[in-house]
Amino acid sequence: MSMSSSEYVVLLLPALILSIAALASLLVEAFFPDTFLGKPTRVGAQILALLGFGCAAIASALEWSHYAPGGVQNISRGWPMDNAGMLTLDPYTAFLTIVFCLGGILTVLLSSRMLERAGSGGGEYYALLLFATTGAYLMAAAQHLIIVFLGLEILSVAVYPLAGFLRRDRRSNEASIKYFLLGAFSSAILLYGIALIYGSTGLHFQNLGGARHLSGLLALDTLRFDIITSYAANATDSYSPVFWAGIALLLVGFCFKSALAPFHMWTPDVYDGSPTPVTAYMSAVVKAAAFAPFFRFFLQVLGRTHTGIGEGGAYRHWLMIVAAIAILTMTWGNLAAVAEPSLKRMLAYSSVAHAGYITVALIANSTDALLYYTLVYTLMVIGSFGCTAILRRRTGEEAVRISEWAGVGLRYPWLGAAMAVFMFALAGFPPTAGFMGKLYIFRAALDTGLASGHEEGYVALVVVALINSLISVYYYLRVVITLYRPSTEDASEYTTDRHGLAQIAIAICVAGVLIFGLFPQLIFGMLGRG
Amino acid sequence: MHTILLSIILFLPLLTGFVVLALPRGNRSLAARAALVGSSINLLLALFLYRGFDFGGADFQFVQRASWIPAIGAQYLVGVDGISIGLVLLTTFLTPIVIYYLSHRLPENGTSLLFTILALETSLLGVLVSTDVLLWYVFWEAMLIPMYFLIAVWGGQYRAYASLKFILYMMVGSLLMLVGILWFYWSYHAAGHPFTFDLSQWINLNADPRTQLPHAVQMWMFFFFFLSFAIKVPLFPFHTWLPDAQAEGPLAFNLLLVEVGAYAFIRFCLPLFPNASLSWAPLIMALAAISVIYGAVMAIVQQDLKRLFAYAGMSHGGFIMLGIFSMTKQGLEGAILYMINSGLTAGALFLIADLLYRRRGTRRISDFGGLAARMPHLYFVFMVVALGAIGLPGLNGFPSEFLVLLGAVRAGFPDPGVAQPIYGYLAGAGVVLSSVYMLWMFQRVMFGKAPDRLKDASDLQPDEKWSLWPFIAVIFFIGVGSAVFTQPMDPAISKTRLIMQGAAEVNHEVGPAPDVRPESPAQ
């Protein structure tokens, strides 16, 4: 499908808006060091960032209504694509972009107090957040492995300095360097995988009579998802080991980024050391952004609808591997979280476990379940990290040990209630959205399993996931119990660091978790199943 | 009005709860009055519902249906039938009493307590009236949250342990049940129906021999449901959370621990999995008989009043399960009546334990004695409740216990090789044991020599009297007029038994089994 140049602009609109806002918030600090439009520059940069995220979200929503009246279809079907096959704008992209922007807005709202403490004007901070979200958008829209890699690098390079934003804090530095080293390592693995795939698909089309098949295609086009799909679908008898090695490396790279076991080891240290709003952003947006191309690539290229790969062959092996990763991730994350005395590290492990639940949606072949869960998880996790950032010692540092939260629910009823809501939501209790998200994933898995005739495996997977939910009830509710237990330490050592904007962010999260839990049709309807 | 009445009853408590939270902070008596008014209006509405209830109808009445999550086929669907209406009345009856009693003794964070109680009432009512299985599951799970908070915030010394134990036990069952629900949901769809969670439609699947699921599948599904409900009842050996939760939980928790587990057995297990229910029945009746006796024996040796009452509740749960799985008309009627009675008796007993605790600062039975002379009012009330609990004719316990035992000894599953009445006879021994624990406890608390510290114990205060009189009135009322409650049950029970009858024929292909022949009414 050919597109006019104005349509190219439309396609890139969210990325353009985000980058322009990023540049603007950088420049505004340089040119208006004190005041901007009559407000302190700090506030001005913040407003610019919020505007950027808001406009990008609105642009995605408008594009959604324009390009995709049919709602989200099965991911393995085609989408409207740009001419070169690099990007696509479909409901999947649009929904995820809205979630990313929502995550960005909530992070901005949570960050003010942290920036004041760090003595930063905020310009570079907001610019990094906006750039990171630009990368996330590219990852969600990518139809080409190079775009996946570009998006990933834009995202990662922006998040490395964010993790180390508290320059004078040793733990923040540690988090940043750890994240950087492992991130660079995983990017290299991913890139190597892409190179291997490039080699095998390119060779394949060349052998098939080069000119005829490659006519109109550039050599790099062999990294397009649809080209790889047709390669995988046709190469039934002659699987290239190089191709599969490439797929495996790609899988490892994605697992690193989305913190799936056994490649999740960096998570607790990085989440713990980073400034809490950045941790919230990482566990919500960065994780969702890593899942976006992960889902799209694997469902499209290796999806079960491709008879060429076949139910009995490579597809099943691949499914087994992903199922093993899902089970390992859930179990590891949950078991590690049980014994964790630090709230931030506990939430870090719990986010590993949640990545495992999301992987079940991949096995279930359900993008709807992924999208709904991503939205819900963004609200739950940003809310819980937001609450974490509120309680402080009088000396200034955050109270991150769970035991320090004793009696908080009695002293600060609203903070306690919000934290309790998030804990119940993360544990998957109705009537919160955490329950509906899990229900939707498990339902999709059972549907797929029973429809495929291999229901035992899927039922077993769901049972494992449910047992994991049970384990998670223990450690989430331990926090709730602590909230309402009389304090053993001196309560006067602690204070709350309230900030109007942070309270707004938490209120949005609480409202979202409850409303989307009671009326999930609001989202399900949008996803086109209504 | 007719269609929306049930929804009003369902959500009025929660709404009242929000009003209570919105009232100016610090004015606890105002909050208590608002909560009391709201819950009392709800009781009146429930009585109004009962008046409009058609005793001859076997189907759900006051049905309200609305779209909820069309994407997965879940609806907002509520209704009452003869099985649930009595428990709806019980729940709406207990809540205002709890609130009234507590309104004079509100702790510091009393408004939160009132909100939690009211939220619990809504979720309990939701469990009783939802007829869409997903909606029901949401209420079933949501019910755990206020219960958990009641123990964790307002509980006794070991509340952290007890609340976590309580919720983990409950979650084990619930999560497995979710698998069962989704499995059934898909199977129903696979049989050629659109995706739905509507219970009235689900029932048709296994009721019809042509469409019913294979026996082995039914057995597994039954197990997934069974575990959750058996923990809730609690049935031996899943009971160990109960004494801890009841002993550590505050009064509101003790009173509002309505027998929803046993209710769910009648509502879901029997009609959804009739064949599997018949196959599981011998085992469950055996467990029920063990529960009756084990609970009673444990109650005898308890030192703590609340723990004693908790084990008594376990024993009662055994009776209820025995009645349900006898699958006779009398057994089922008796079981449902027993659920109501158990709620009443437990409510009054725990109230008494609480007011004794407030006077003496202890619940150890050996710390009491000689109260009969000093507290004549309490003496009378306590005696009526205790005698009602052990089934003295003329009081509430008798008709339900009698019906259950009658049903249990008549139960012969369509398997002539097994002598079924044995469980009924065993449970009969439990009746004797219940007299032992109740009367011995009563004797130690009420008679004998009063310890010094109890010399100046005051008799019931007016508000305590007003909290207990309603129990006494209903205990006498059920004792002489149990038909008021059993009559509306009959059509719904007959409907369930018809399904069981069909299943029995399929299971054995020998025609109606002896236990499911039409019987003449017991009364």
Side-chain angles (χ1 to χ4, degrees):
Chain A
M1 136 184 197
S2 69
M3 297 173 104
S4 66
S5 55
S6 67
E7 281 178 304
Y8 281 122
V9 174
V10 170
L11 198 60
L12 277 172
L13 202 55
L16 287 176
I17 294 172
L18 289 169
S19 336
I20 290 171
L23 292 174
S25 66
L26 261 185
L27 292 177
V28 77
E29 214 188 358
F31 286 99
F32 305 96
D34 300 320
T35 58
F36 175 65
L37 298 179
K39 297 218 161 65
T41 305
R42 174 178 297 164
V43 180
Q46 192 170 39
I47 290 171
L48 275 176
L50 289 176
L51 271 178
F53 283 123
C55 291
I58 291 168
S60 309
L62 289 177
E63 282 166 347
W64 181 353
S65 57
H66 179 242
Y67 275 96
V72 176
Q73 300 296 316
N74 192 316
I75 196 162
S76 51
R77 303 213 195 107
W79 291 282
M81 249 193 289
D82 75 326
N83 232 357
M86 290 285 191
L87 288 175
T88 176
L89 240 179
D90 53 357
Y92 183 79
T93 313
F95 188 91
L96 280 173
T97 311
I98 294 170
V99 173
F100 297 153
C101 291
L102 175 68
I105 289 171
L106 293 172
T107 311
V108 170
L109 294 178
L110 286 179
S111 303
S112 328
R113 186 52 59 92
M114 187 272 288
L115 293 173
E116 280 170 32
R117 286 175 180 275
S120 158
E124 77 274 30
Y125 179 83
Y126 298 128
L128 287 170
L129 274 182
L130 287 157
F131 277 132
T133 311
T134 313
Y137 166 76
L138 287 178
M139 289 170 82
Q143 271 294 317
H144 192 290
L145 283 175
I146 288 298
I147 296 291
V148 173
F149 185 72
L150 276 180
L152 184 71
E153 284 306 286
I154 294 175
L155 172 78
S156 305
V157 169
V159 176
Y160 300 142
L162 281 177
F165 198 77
L166 299 174
R167 273 171 304 226
R168 277 178 263 285
D169 181 0
R170 282 206 316 213
R171 309 223 301 142
S172 182
N173 279 307
E174 179 200 335
S176 183
I177 196 79
K178 242 179 202 162
Y179 192 41
F180 171 68
L181 286 177
L182 282 167
F185 187 59
S186 68
S187 294
I189 291 180
L190 193 79
L191 197 58
Y192 192 31
I194 292 173
L196 291 182
I197 291 172
Y198 176 61
S200 50
T201 52
L203 199 65
H204 173 74
F205 284 107
Q206 213 169 19
N207 290 346
L208 271 180
R212 190 159 51 86
H213 277 83
L214 280 173
S215 62
L217 295 181
L218 299 171
L220 257 186
D221 280 345
T222 51
L223 283 178
R224 254 164 55 181
F225 288 3
D226 54 340
I227 301 288
I228 302 173
T229 308
S230 76
Y231 166 79
N234 291 321
T236 40
D237 43 349
S238 60
Y239 283 128
S240 152
V242 175
F243 176 74
W244 286 105
I247 292 285
L249 289 177
L250 213 57
L251 178 64
V252 172
F254 283 134
C255 287
F256 256 115
K257 289 296 172 188
S258 40
L260 292 171
F263 308 105
H264 68 283
M265 308 286 192
W266 54 273
T267 319
D269 289 342
V270 173
Y271 282 18
D272 191 23
S274 304
T276 306
V278 177
T279 311
Y281 183 82
M282 282 200 284
S283 62
V285 178
V286 176
K287 189 180 290 268
F291 269 113
F294 190 9
F295 263 62
R296 198 197 281 273
F297 180 78
F298 282 115
L299 287 188
Q300 190 175 343
V301 173
L302 299 179
R304 60 194 317 277
T305 44
H306 296 287
T307 48
I309 292 178
E311 285 286 316
Y315 178 69
R316 289 207 65 175
H317 291 301
W318 141 253
L319 218 52
M320 287 291 170
I321 294 170
V322 178
I325 290 176
I327 290 173
L328 190 65
T329 306
M330 288 186 278
T331 315
W332 199 326
N334 277 319
L335 289 181
V338 165
E340 195 47 71
S342 151
L343 188 57
K344 259 174 109 176
R345 292 178 73 90
M346 184 276 268
L347 286 172
Y349 279 118
S350 102
S351 92
V352 171
H354 281 272
Y357 303 135
I358 295 179
T359 314
V360 176
L362 175 64
I363 297 163
N365 209 19
S366 168
T367 44
D368 286 0
L370 163 81
L371 295 179
Y372 181 70
Y373 206 82
T374 313
L375 170 69
V376 170
Y377 184 64
T378 299
L379 293 168
M380 295 190 293
V381 79
I382 294 190
S384 49
F385 277 117
C387 288
T388 313
I390 285 185
L391 188 72
R392 283 174 188 282
R393 291 174 161 275
R394 293 231 180 256
T395 50
E397 66 262 33
E398 290 171 5
V400 292
R401 273 189 295 123
I402 293 176
S403 58
E404 289 176 298
W405 282 73
V408 167
L410 305 172
R411 275 178 282 147
Y412 311 107
W414 289 110
L415 176 63
M419 194 69 170
V421 166
F422 295 129
M423 289 299 127
F424 276 109
L426 285 166
F429 275 82
T432 67
F435 167 72
M436 282 297 166
K438 275 186 188 159
L439 176 77
Y440 210 46
I441 289 181
F442 297 158
R443 172 187 173 277
L446 289 181
D447 278 2
T448 310
L450 293 163
S452 75
H454 301 293
E455 65 258 38
E456 315 84 12
Y458 287 88
V459 171
L461 184 66
V462 170
V463 170
V464 171
L466 285 169
I467 293 172
N468 268 291
S469 297
L470 181 67
I471 301 173
S472 75
V473 170
Y474 171 76
Y475 62 80
Y476 289 126
L477 293 200
R478 209 181 45 173
V479 176
V480 181
I481 287 182
T482 313
L483 286 174
Y484 295 99
R485 197 172 61 197
S487 177
T488 47
E489 297 178 50
D490 187 4
S492 64
E493 271 185 37
Y494 296 94
T495 177
T496 51
D497 193 356
R498 290 170 204 222
H499 193 286
L501 292 179
Q503 285 175 331
I504 290 173
I506 291 172
I508 291 173
C509 292
V510 170
V513 162
L514 292 179
I515 290 172
F516 294 143
L518 286 170
F519 308 105
Q521 184 64 24
L522 293 173
I523 303 299
F524 294 168
M526 275 165 69
L527 294 176
R529 283 288 200 78
Chain B
M1 187 60 195
H2 231 60
T3 52
I4 204 172
L5 178 61
L6 200 55
S7 296
I8 296 177
I9 293 176
L10 176 55
F11 289 110
L12 183 66
L14 189 65
L15 208 66
T16 313
F18 285 121
V19 171
V20 166
L21 279 189
L23 289 174
R25 293 262 195 104
N27 194 343
R28 275 178 281 164
S29 68
L30 179 65
R33 240 172 294 156
L36 186 60
V37 168
S39 55
S40 305
I41 291 175
N42 218 31
L43 174 59
L44 290 178
L45 287 176
L47 289 171
F48 191 68
L49 183 85
Y50 184 74
R51 234 196 82 214
F53 187 81
D54 172 14
F55 281 21
D59 293 321
F60 290 112
Q61 304 179 27
F62 297 94
V63 173
Q64 194 183 8
R65 186 188 292 269
S67 167
W68 182 36
I69 320 176
I72 57 175
Q75 311 170 62
Y76 173 79
L77 190 56
V78 292
V80 283
D81 66 355
I83 298 172
S84 55
I85 187 144
L87 289 166
V88 169
L89 282 175
L90 174 72
T91 310
T92 50
F93 167 80
L94 288 174
T95 314
I97 294 183
V98 178
I99 291 174
Y100 173 70
Y101 178 79
L102 288 176
S103 63
H104 300 269
R105 308 162 169 75
L106 275 182
E108 194 76 357
N109 44 9
T111 37
S112 316
L113 176 61
L114 292 170
F115 175 78
T116 314
I117 292 172
L118 290 163
L120 178 57
E121 185 183 6
T122 283
S123 50
L124 277 170
L125 290 172
V127 166
L128 294 173
V129 303
S130 302
T131 61
D132 179 275
V133 180
L134 188 70
L135 181 70
W136 176 84
Y137 186 79
V138 166
F139 278 117
W140 175 264
E141 287 280 287
M143 175 178 68
L144 298 181
I145 298 176
M147 283 186 163
Y148 167 81
F149 274 115
L150 282 178
I151 309 178
V153 181
W154 293 281
Q157 195 181 357
Y158 303 106
R159 57 180 183 269
Y161 168 77
S163 58
L164 205 54
K165 185 171 180 180
F166 166 76
I167 207 150
L168 286 178
Y169 264 73
M170 295 300 148
M171 287 302 283
V172 171
S174 307
L175 289 175
L176 281 178
M177 182 168 62
L178 187 58
V179 180
I181 289 176
L182 288 174
W183 193 354
F184 199 100
Y185 167 74
W186 196 89
S187 307
Y188 187 73
H189 174 69
H193 306 279
F195 279 121
T196 180
F197 285 99
D198 185 346
L199 181 65
S200 330
Q201 293 184 36
W202 276 20
I203 285 173
N204 297 331
L205 183 68
N206 283 337
D208 186 344
R210 283 163 301 174
T211 57
Q212 68 185 198
L213 300 169
H215 197 259
V217 173
Q218 274 198 42
M219 293 293 276
W220 275 108
M221 287 184 178
F222 181 96
F223 174 74
F224 286 146
F225 280 75
F226 160 80
L227 195 63
S228 178
F229 303 156
I231 292 172
K232 191 89 195 178
V233 169
L235 197 63
F236 181 89
F238 308 108
H239 63 278
T240 60
W241 62 271
L242 182 72
D244 288 320
Q246 285 285 46
E248 297 304 319
L251 181 71
F253 176 84
N254 303 145
L255 257 69
L256 292 176
L257 200 66
V258 178
E259 276 287 5
V260 284
Y263 163 77
F265 266 114
I266 303 187
R267 175 62 76 225
F268 294 98
C269 278
L270 293 196
L272 283 185
F273 317 109
N275 311 61
S277 295
L278 287 170
S279 305
W280 275 80
L283 175 67
I284 294 179
M285 284 192 83
L287 290 178
I290 296 175
S291 287
V292 168
I293 294 173
Y294 181 86
V297 171
M298 289 301 283
I300 292 175
V301 299
Q302 292 307 309
Q303 302 293 315
D304 179 299
L305 275 178
K306 272 179 138 183
R307 291 188 91 87
L308 188 148
F309 297 150
Y311 278 108
M314 180 190 170
S315 185
H316 292 173
F319 275 111
I320 294 170
M321 292 301 292
L322 203 63
I324 294 173
F325 278 86
S326 76
M327 296 181 197
T328 53
K329 179 167 174 289
Q330 295 87 346
L332 283 163
E333 268 181 6
I336 300 171
L337 191 59
Y338 214 126
M339 292 178 208
I340 299 168
N341 282 333
S342 157
L344 286 171
T345 312
L349 287 175
F350 279 109
L351 247 171
I352 291 169
D354 189 78
L355 60 89
L356 285 178
Y357 179 76
R358 284 173 196 278
R359 280 174 175 66
R360 182 74 176 80
T362 176
R363 287 190 306 258
R364 279 179 66 85
I365 296 172
S366 53
D367 288 344
F368 294 99
L371 286 179
R374 280 174 187 76
M375 304 177 72
H377 270 106
L378 176 73
Y379 174 56
F380 170 71
V381 171
F382 202 173
M383 191 174 69
V384 170
V385 175
L387 292 178
I390 61 179
L392 187 80
L395 297 178
N396 66 336
F398 177 69
S400 53
E401 206 164 77
F402 181 73
L403 282 171
V404 163
L405 290 177
L406 188 65
V409 293
R410 293 184 58 178
F413 306 109
D415 189 350
V418 186
Q420 297 308 332
I422 179 71
Y423 303 122
Y425 297 135
L426 281 175
V431 178
V432 180
L433 291 174
S434 78
S435 317
V436 174
Y437 67 70
M438 204 51 94
L439 294 181
W440 192 36
M441 177 275 301
F442 189 73
Q443 180 192 346
R444 281 179 293 166
V445 172
M446 283 307 189
F447 304 123
K449 190 172 167 303
D452 289 342
R453 279 211 271 164
L454 278 177
K455 289 267 192 265
D456 52 352
S458 55
D459 200 358
L460 296 184
Q461 302 302 306
D463 65 296
E464 291 167 342
K465 280 185 205 164
W466 282 110
S467 308
L468 285 165
W469 288 133
F471 283 108
I472 303 300
V474 180
I475 283 172
F476 275 115
F477 178 71
I478 295 182
V480 292
S482 62
V484 177
F485 287 93
T486 52
Q487 225 175 8
M489 296 172 195
D490 284 346
I493 287 177
S494 303
K495 192 180 162 199
T496 308
R497 278 172 42 75
L498 208 62
I499 298 174
M500 306 308 297
Q501 185 170 349
E505 285 166 22
V506 170
N507 272 13
H508 291 271
E509 296 177 344
V510 289
D515 71 313
V516 285
R517 270 197 303 265
E519 290 147 353
S520 54
Q523 278 84 26

